[in-house]
Amino acid sequence: MHELSLCRSLIDLLQQQAAVSHFSRVKQLWLEAGPLAAVEPEALKFAFTAASQGTLAEGAVLHLIECPGRAVCRQCGTESAITQWYQACPECGEYQLQVLSGEALHIRELEVE
Amino acid sequence: MCGICGCGQADEHLHSHNHAHDHTHEQGSEHASQAQRRLQVELDLFSQNNRYAEANRALFTARNLLVLNLVSSPGSGKTALLSETLKQQLGQLPVAVIEGDQQTHQDADRIRATGAQAVQINTGKLCHLDAHMIGHALEQLPELSDGILYIENVGNLVCPAGFDLGEAAKVVILSVTEGDDKPLKYPDMFHAARLMVLNKIDLLPHVDFDVDACIEYARRINPDIQVIQLSARTGEGVSDWLHWLNHQRQQQIAARVERLENELHKLKAQL
């Protein structure tokens, strides 16, 4: 359910951006969501449809950009891709991965008019 | 701030660089206010919450408060643990509680029964506390300083993980009547927490809960997580928790003293 409050924040951010960049409608937006971001992409899309009703982003298409997560093993130093919190290091098998990226939840691009 | 080039969030970039995602590019028109155009932006969905969280954190620092965000599933014994904690701490140092629940004032009433100050936030349909709500709750605790503020989050092992309230640390409470594999099932929360409290250990003989496995699962998610086993009901292990709290507070004060000494040193050098 917190996807809805994040989408309300998103609409606020779009309104602030609209004032600065002089646009009145958002037609499409591209969201970068890391595999470790605490959101479910489909729930986010659903919540966005609800939260954007009657706003400058009503009817806008939300695209998701997949961005890979990376982690480094504290045991052996190997860097690897990570898709969930409890992954073992593919090199040494230890559960000692320190996450480097994958928690992002950013709007990267807008198509506006 | 824009993470791409370090400019202000308001800046927009011409669409000239390569993209990892595929979509067609449409040339912007001279009459940009009416025509469709593309903007490169960096809008963090958590940024609004994080701004409020940083404001809260600055206030906590100024008031020399240790603030802990207590998270768990419903029924883990957060309020019982807090009641026991407050009974031990009241009269020794200033303590207060912000209670988050969807409905009712029952938890705040239980806390007030100990003699401590409590502010209840009812989140209604919302599944978590956010930093903005905490900022307003603080208005009701104007005198609180030089002590500990506990924030009892909504009973939910999912959503509160993502929302920074400005706290020094999250403490996740797991009772042994729940599954020992909860850290694997709800990894975000165990990743976000500094301490895992295993509560209701007096019930261990009656339940099928493997303490060692649970701790091992939690450390797969978060190798640094600390663990305390206790029973808020019998009092077993509660002294470990009180010791941990005192240690956190001492560390926070020591860090502040170091910052202030550095600042003092710099100012003296200018005399």
Side-chain angles (χ1 to χ4, degrees):
Chain A
M1 256 194 304
H2 66 287
E3 278 82 359
L4 190 57
S5 46
L6 286 175
C7 284
R8 290 200 182 114
S9 284
L10 169 59
I11 299 294
D12 288 345
L13 291 170
L14 291 175
Q15 279 163 349
Q16 290 162 21
Q17 188 75 40
V20 173
S21 300
H22 310 292
F23 58 83
S24 55
R25 299 280 302 162
V26 177
K27 308 295 283 184
Q28 301 190 70
L29 57 168
W30 283 265
L31 175 75
E32 182 181 282
L36 306 175
V39 294
E40 192 53 49
E42 287 310 312
L44 199 70
K45 279 189 173 181
F46 181 78
F48 177 74
T49 307
S52 62
Q53 297 284 320
T55 74
L56 79 171
E58 183 168 350
V61 182
L62 178 63
H63 303 273
L64 293 170
I65 309 167
E66 283 182 30
C67 67
R70 302 288 300 170
V72 64
C73 179
R74 289 185 184 185
Q75 205 68 30
C76 71
T78 304
E79 216 182 294
S80 60
I82 186 169
T83 56
Q84 52 189 11
W85 289 119
Y86 58 99
Q87 258 175 243
C89 172
E91 192 64 29
C92 71
E94 289 289 326
Y95 287 94
Q96 293 280 320
L97 292 186
Q98 187 175 346
V99 173
L100 301 172
S101 65
E103 298 175 83
L105 195 61
H106 291 128
I107 294 292
R108 286 288 183 209
E109 188 168 9
L110 301 172
E111 184 180 277
V112 299
E113 64 177 27
Chain B
M1 286 283 283
C2 169
I4 299 168
C5 66
C7 68
Q9 190 186 57
D11 284 273
E12 55 190 74
H13 306 258
L14 287 176
H15 209 92
S16 59
H17 58 268
N18 292 326
H19 293 265
H21 51 285
D22 72 62
H23 56 264
T24 57
H25 289 197
E26 289 161 26
Q27 192 62 41
S29 142
E30 290 296 315
H31 307 286
S33 61
Q34 289 304 313
Q36 287 190 3
R37 61 197 159 109
R38 292 276 169 94
L39 300 179
Q40 296 284 298
V41 292
E42 169 97 4
L43 305 176
D44 182 345
L45 268 61
F46 283 101
S47 62
Q48 282 190 317
N49 182 72
N50 291 346
R51 267 202 301 279
Y52 287 117
E54 285 311 317
N56 291 347
R57 192 165 277 124
L59 189 69
F60 298 151
T61 303
R63 292 211 213 157
N64 190 27
L65 284 173
L66 173 67
V67 181
L68 297 171
N69 183 357
L70 274 56
V71 291
S72 79
S73 46
S76 67
K78 286 195 297 298
T79 314
L81 176 61
L82 269 181
S83 296
E84 286 311 303
T85 308
L86 294 168
K87 281 179 200 164
Q88 303 275 344
Q89 291 180 328
L90 276 168
Q92 293 183 19
L93 80 168
V95 282
V97 178
I98 295 175
E99 282 286 343
D101 283 298
Q102 282 198 305
Q103 293 192 140
T104 81
H105 287 71
Q106 291 184 8
D107 280 0
D109 292 345
R110 282 173 70 189
I111 296 298
R112 288 188 194 112
T114 68
Q117 223 182 339
V119 178
Q120 179 81 51
I121 300 175
N122 282 141
T123 59
K125 300 294 176 200
L126 269 181
C127 48
H128 59 271
L129 292 172
D130 66 36
H132 186 229
M133 298 174 193
I134 297 301
H136 282 299
L138 286 170
E139 292 165 1
Q140 296 177 54
L141 298 167
E143 305 291 321
L144 185 69
S145 63
D146 301 298
I148 304 180
L149 172 65
Y150 301 95
I151 301 172
E152 187 180 334
N153 218 313
V154 179
N156 175 350
L157 272 178
V158 185
C159 313
F163 290 83
D164 182 8
L165 305 179
E167 72 271 4
K170 287 185 175 73
V171 174
V172 62
I173 295 152
L174 180 61
S175 60
V176 303
T177 50
E178 305 169 59
D180 48 27
D181 55 356
K182 273 221 168 138
L184 296 183
K185 289 179 173 171
Y186 300 94
D188 290 33
M189 191 60 89
F190 290 85
H191 178 76
R194 184 181 299 171
L195 172 72
M196 173 170 77
V197 171
L198 285 180
N199 191 17
K200 307 189 189 177
I201 55 166
D202 53 312
L203 298 179
L204 274 173
H206 312 288
V207 294
D208 193 16
F209 186 98
D210 186 335
V211 171
D212 292 338
C214 179
I215 294 172
E216 198 251 322
Y217 293 148
R219 293 205 165 127
R220 282 190 194 184
I221 313 291
N222 179 354
D224 295 325
I225 200 165
Q226 300 167 56
V227 182
I228 291 175
Q229 301 178 44
L230 57 78
S231 165
R233 195 171 72 91
T234 67
E236 185 184 355
V238 170
S239 60
D240 292 342
W241 160 243
L242 293 171
H243 180 76
W244 185 88
L245 290 170
N246 190 44
H247 183 65
Q248 299 301 308
R249 195 166 139 63
Q250 291 299 317
Q251 276 191 321
Q252 186 170 296
I253 294 170
R256 184 153 188 236
V257 166
E258 195 181 331
R259 275 199 307 278
L260 290 171
E261 278 177 345
N262 285 339
E263 197 179 332
L264 197 62
H265 183 72
K266 276 183 198 163
L267 285 172
K268 279 183 174 170
Q270 294 172 36
L271 277 175

